Amino acid sequence: YAPPVDSANVPPSRGRGGGNAGPPAPVQVGYPTDRDRGGPPQGPLVLPGSYTVRVTIPGKAPLTGHVVVEADPLTKFGTADRATRQALLMEIYDWTRALGEAREAVARLASQHDAIAADVGAPADSLNARVARLSTDADRAFRGVDGQRGPIEGWSGLPSIDQRKALGYAIDAASDVIVELDKLVTTDIPAAYRAAGKSWTNAVNSVVAPGG
């Protein structure tokens, strides 16, 4: 699958020596990754099966074809168990994408720090402090959810009880981030603007949690 977050305007990755190491990495704009510790977020592998491939080249007719993805013949991994694991990986994928959107939304809120302070006065101190905390929480939640994918996908078997618990905790933290973001952008900041007799012209949209 495609990376869960965008790669627009991300500079080329660099090796330890600082030299150019390749094309832009698929990372969220504004998301601080550490490429020496696991690299940028990646999408999950597809299930075994037959897939249609379409390649679009500017100025050329699209190229289409088919590719068959086969299961590793050396592992004893049943179809039902593989589907169960894939469902969990797709849940991770959906939450990672949602948290990427949340990171973008929080960055847009942070960019309005001075404008909010000028527009609403004293209440802006509390609002901007919450935005700053939310930025840290969103980043931590992103890492927490995305970090579950590798160990689960790297083992040809069902996720362990501990892995499921760890993912549950990570998703709980992610849910808290999205709930707080929603409260800020749909209730608290608009209320502060109304109290100041003004309209929030640069409103930021909330993010829909997976399954929401």
Side-chain angles (χ1 to χ4, degrees):
Y1 287 82
V5 289
D6 197 5
S7 62
N9 300 319
V10 177
S13 60
R14 295 183 178 277
R16 292 180 182 272
N20 232 340
V27 298
Q28 179 68 35
V29 174
Y31 174 71
T33 59
D34 184 346
R35 295 188 180 92
D36 291 333
R37 298 177 59 191
Q42 299 291 329
L45 299 175
V46 299
L47 287 171
S50 179
Y51 294 88
T52 298
V53 178
R54 181 183 179 90
V55 178
T56 301
I57 303 172
K60 303 289 185 179
L63 304 176
T64 60
H66 297 277
V67 62
V68 174
V69 177
E70 297 181 349
D72 185 348
L74 299 180
T75 60
K76 303 300 181 182
F77 195 19
T79 301
D81 287 350
R82 191 185 299 275
T84 298
R85 185 188 69 170
Q86 187 73 2
L88 205 62
L89 290 170
M90 294 307 297
E91 184 178 12
I92 294 171
Y93 186 53
D94 290 341
W95 275 101
T96 306
R97 293 171 67 184
L99 286 167
E101 294 176 9
R103 284 281 299 146
E104 287 188 349
V106 173
R108 289 195 294 272
L109 286 177
S111 72
Q112 298 183 42
H113 179 283
D114 294 342
I116 292 174
D119 289 342
V120 308
D125 291 341
S126 174
L127 294 172
N128 283 326
R130 287 169 63 189
V131 171
R133 288 195 299 271
L134 187 59
S135 177
T136 299
D137 291 344
D139 182 49
R140 185 182 298 116
F142 189 107
R143 291 182 186 276
V145 174
D146 183 62
Q148 306 302 316
R149 180 191 59 82
I152 292 175
E153 190 171 57
W155 173 249
S156 296
L158 289 173
S160 68
I161 293 176
D162 287 343
Q163 287 175 327
R164 290 175 181 271
K165 286 183 177 179
L167 177 58
Y169 296 144
I171 288 177
D172 286 344
S175 180
D176 289 344
V177 165
I178 291 179
V179 168
E180 172 67 3
L181 173 62
D182 183 70
K183 190 171 186 297
L184 272 171
V185 301
T186 64
T187 302
D188 296 344
I189 295 179
Y193 269 85
R194 287 194 299 271
K198 297 181 179 180
S199 176
W200 189 23
T201 57
N202 292 318
V204 174
N205 294 329
S206 59
V207 173
V208 177

